[in-house]
Amino acid sequence: MCWFVRGKLPAIGIVSPMSCGMSKFICWIYFTLSVLMSLTLEYSLVSARTDCQPPIKDYLHFTKNITDLDNVQARQYVRLDCCASGFDTITWYFRNKNTNYSWIEFPFLYQLCDINEECPTLSPRNQTLHILKATTSYDNGTYLCVALNTSTGENISHMEDLIVYDCVDRDAPESIPPSDIITNVGQNATFHCAADYGCKSRYLRDVLWYIGEQEVNDVSKRYIVTTDNREFNPVVQANLTILNVQVSDFDVIFSCWIASDYDIETPKFPVRLRQEVIHVTKIKLILIIVVPCVFIILLVKVVQTAYGPHISYYYRSKGYFGGLPKMGINHHFHALVVHDDSRHEDNCIAEEITTTLERRGYNISNQIGGAGVSIFAHFGGSLEQSAAVIVIDMERDSEDSNKFRVFIESSLRNFSDSLVGFTIIQRKEIVNSVMDSVEYKGLKRLTWPGQHCTDRQKQKFYKQLQLRLPKPHCPSHEGVINGERTSLLVH
């Protein structure tokens, strides 16, 4: 009978041909098959645990969690993974002090790779970089892999630092302490902490993360510790990742503890998160100040253009900024509307102005020009009783233009003390205007918006006009003031 000696894998028995009761030939066959099965199974398990999966033609992404810091003993084998899918090509780059910290493409610093058996090699599809015998001078540095999808033009990349160290006997672990990290709210931050325990195996060797006397895992689920404590590897590494950094995290002091069975006090290294400070240059400062100011000025200009009269009327009707004009003791009308009755369009404009203002609570006297030679005497009574005058401009070659001009100038000279507002309504189509020949150029002039204007344009016109009139009575939608309808005075 053949008996079995248990090998590295307990599930596999290896036949010992020297202690086999069968013929030596048969035992040698069993022994060979057992060894092959053991090696095949071990290789399969290791491959399943470490190899990248074959890429498929889907979206571009990494298919395996890849470390960003690794270490290896000098003259030992190490593999760097760039497991991805959905790519067409993967290119590797490297930099360290020998490259002046500039990126160089694979094969890096090895100039005789065709004959040098210790050159790094790439596995199929370049997903894994194999470094057969790591050296502290050439292989110690930063590696970058870039996966490219040529059809979409998209690429993803991963950068990893490799520490190559010489294994030595140590009386105490050599710490590789962490450093403070500059980050901001909402980002992820990772602290790196490690220790080199040397070549001799130890009963206790561990790198731990604490907040005070409590392990970080017990404080928050956002604090994730990833430990690399491989057998026969003198370096033990523990990374602390803070997910979705909050404002409160900046007040926490994290501490990395180097635990060992050496007869020394446990080294502890406190670190903390520091919030990123934005340095404002002169250009940025100018932009920060000027851009909002320009935006506010433009916004105010737009609002002023569209609703300036509405805003001014609201405040002045409340008594601010000087208020509106006042009604005198002898004033029975808020305004007198004067126009030329020889033009049908002027009659329509005067009627619309009168009706609209009466609906808003104003008492309006509507006079039709062009009646008689004594135009000044004709309007005298109504003019004295009106707090303001609204004149619809006419053309200079009109039949009554001279009389109209005399009325305007006489009104300005003789009734300047009693007149609060004197407003001229100009029509866009009038080129040769009577008002252009009037000596007094300081009169307030408003442009009639026309028949095809928008509601907003018409409302703006009437608010501009109301700023020239005393405050109205309570508005009536039927043009009724104090219970009586205001009649139009027609002469």
Side-chain angles (χ1 to χ4, degrees):
M1 292 291 294
C2 292
W3 59 278
F4 294 87
V5 177
R6 294 197 179 273
K8 187 174 182 179
L9 298 176
I12 301 296
I14 300 179
V15 179
S16 174
M18 302 302 297
S19 56
C20 183
M22 300 181 182
S23 66
K24 291 184 179 181
F25 178 74
I26 296 176
C27 282
W28 275 110
I29 293 177
Y30 277 124
F31 175 75
T32 303
L33 291 176
S34 299
V35 171
L36 290 176
M37 290 176 62
S38 176
L39 294 176
T40 301
L41 181 56
E42 183 178 7
Y43 175 79
S44 299
L45 291 175
V46 173
S47 298
R49 185 172 63 251
T50 60
D51 284 351
C52 298
Q53 297 296 322
I56 59 176
K57 293 184 178 180
D58 58 354
Y59 67 98
L60 185 62
H61 66 287
F62 290 114
T63 59
K64 179 181 177 181
N65 291 331
I66 311 172
T67 180
D68 54 5
L69 177 63
D70 205 348
N71 53 80
V72 64
Q73 183 180 339
R75 296 170 297 281
Q76 298 296 319
Y77 164 80
V78 66
R79 56 179 291 162
L80 307 180
D81 287 326
C82 187
C83 302
S85 191
F87 66 89
D88 295 308
T89 61
I90 292 182
T91 307
W92 286 85
Y93 299 89
F94 171 73
R95 70 180 181 187
N96 67 0
K97 62 180 181 180
N98 294 323
T99 69
N100 295 323
Y101 298 100
S102 300
W103 292 109
I104 60 174
E105 191 174 346
F106 180 84
F108 314 142
L109 298 174
Y110 298 88
Q111 304 299 325
L112 302 175
C113 279
D114 293 338
I115 59 176
N116 189 346
E117 296 180 354
E118 298 179 0
C119 276
T121 60
L122 294 174
S123 62
R125 300 302 303 272
N126 293 3
Q127 290 189 94
T128 301
L129 175 67
H130 303 273
I131 300 177
L132 306 181
K133 289 186 179 181
T135 61
T136 57
S137 58
Y138 287 110
D139 301 299
N140 195 74
T142 304
Y143 294 81
L144 172 70
C145 69
V146 179
L148 171 66
N149 186 318
T150 55
S151 60
T152 63
E154 295 179 304
N155 69 78
I156 55 176
S157 61
H158 176 75
M159 188 164 60
E160 178 178 350
D161 291 324
L162 178 64
I163 300 175
V164 182
Y165 56 89
D166 283 322
C167 182
V168 296
D169 292 335
R170 299 188 183 280
D171 295 330
E174 181 177 329
S175 302
I176 306 175
S179 302
D180 291 353
I181 293 179
I182 298 175
T183 184
N184 219 327
V185 175
Q187 298 178 351
N188 297 338
T190 300
F191 293 105
H192 300 287
C193 186
D196 186 353
Y197 288 84
C199 298
K200 293 183 180 180
S201 61
R202 295 288 177 178
Y203 174 75
L204 176 60
R205 57 175 214 163
D206 208 351
V207 178
L208 307 169
W209 283 95
Y210 283 84
I211 297 176
E213 299 294 328
Q214 190 175 12
E215 291 193 34
V216 294
N217 308 73
D218 300 330
V219 176
S220 174
K221 293 182 179 180
R222 293 187 297 106
Y223 300 158
I224 309 298
V225 176
T226 305
T227 303
D228 183 6
N229 189 353
R230 290 174 288 177
E231 190 177 2
F232 305 119
N233 190 338
V235 175
V236 178
Q237 178 181 344
N239 298 334
L240 169 60
T241 300
I242 293 88
L243 301 176
N244 189 21
V245 172
Q246 304 296 310
V247 176
S248 59
D249 295 328
F250 294 102
D251 299 326
V252 178
I253 297 178
F254 305 93
S255 183
C256 176
W257 293 18
I258 308 299
S260 68
D261 55 2
Y262 293 92
D263 188 18
I264 61 171
E265 184 179 356
T266 301
K268 301 174 182 179
F269 302 97
V271 289
R272 64 190 307 169
L273 296 174
R274 300 191 181 278
Q275 195 159 14
E276 182 178 7
V277 179
I278 300 176
H279 298 283
V280 181
T281 62
K282 291 183 179 180
I283 296 178
K284 290 182 179 179
L285 185 61
I286 293 174
L287 292 177
I288 291 173
I289 297 176
V290 172
V291 172
C293 291
V294 172
F295 175 77
I296 293 173
I297 292 173
L298 292 177
L299 181 61
V300 170
K301 185 66 176 178
V302 171
V303 174
Q304 181 69 23
T305 302
Y307 300 102
H310 302 71
I311 298 172
S312 298
Y313 179 77
Y314 173 80
Y315 283 107
R316 291 179 63 177
S317 65
K318 300 296 182 181
Y320 308 127
F321 306 115
L324 295 171
K326 304 293 184 180
M327 291 282 284
I329 299 177
N330 299 324
H331 293 155
H332 300 292
F333 301 101
H334 289 87
L336 168 67
V337 179
V338 182
H339 67 285
D340 181 10
D341 63 348
S342 64
R343 284 179 55 83
H344 173 71
E345 184 178 355
D346 289 0
N347 288 333
C348 294
I349 295 174
E351 181 68 21
E352 182 176 341
I353 292 175
T354 301
T355 304
T356 301
L357 292 178
E358 286 183 341
R359 287 176 180 172
R360 300 188 180 189
Y362 294 92
N363 195 4
I364 304 299
S365 175
N366 188 328
Q367 297 288 347
I368 302 177
V373 176
S374 182
I375 189 168
F376 169 71
H378 178 71
F379 289 109
S382 298
L383 189 60
E384 290 180 346
Q385 299 177 33
S386 302
V389 176
I390 301 172
V391 179
I392 300 176
D393 195 9
M394 66 170 60
E395 295 177 349
R396 190 180 303 180
D397 56 358
S398 175
E399 181 179 350
D400 292 323
S401 61
N402 290 331
K403 302 173 187 177
F404 189 72
R405 185 172 181 274
V406 170
F407 165 74
I408 296 298
E409 294 177 345
S410 300
S411 299
L412 293 172
R413 287 195 302 269
N414 295 284
F415 294 93
S416 57
D417 294 337
S418 60
L419 292 177
V420 179
F422 202 113
T423 307
I424 307 299
I425 308 299
Q426 292 182 311
R427 290 181 284 116
K428 297 178 181 179
E429 61 272 15
I430 292 183
V431 178
N432 193 10
S433 168
V434 171
M435 295 310 302
D436 292 339
S437 64
V438 175
E439 294 179 1
Y440 184 75
K441 300 295 184 181
L443 294 175
K444 178 68 176 181
R445 304 189 184 197
L446 298 179
T447 302
W448 177 248
Q451 296 180 350
H452 303 292
C453 65
T454 63
D455 291 338
R456 185 178 63 81
Q457 291 173 328
K458 184 168 291 187
Q459 290 297 327
K460 179 179 178 181
F461 167 79
Y462 279 106
K463 285 300 177 184
Q464 289 175 313
L465 184 58
Q466 287 178 260
L467 287 170
R468 308 284 299 167
L469 306 178
K471 191 174 181 179
H473 303 300
C474 294
S476 171
H477 294 290
E478 297 181 357
V480 178
I481 305 299
N482 296 328
E484 298 182 357
R485 178 178 293 277
T486 302
S487 59
L488 299 179
L489 303 180
V490 180
H491 296 270

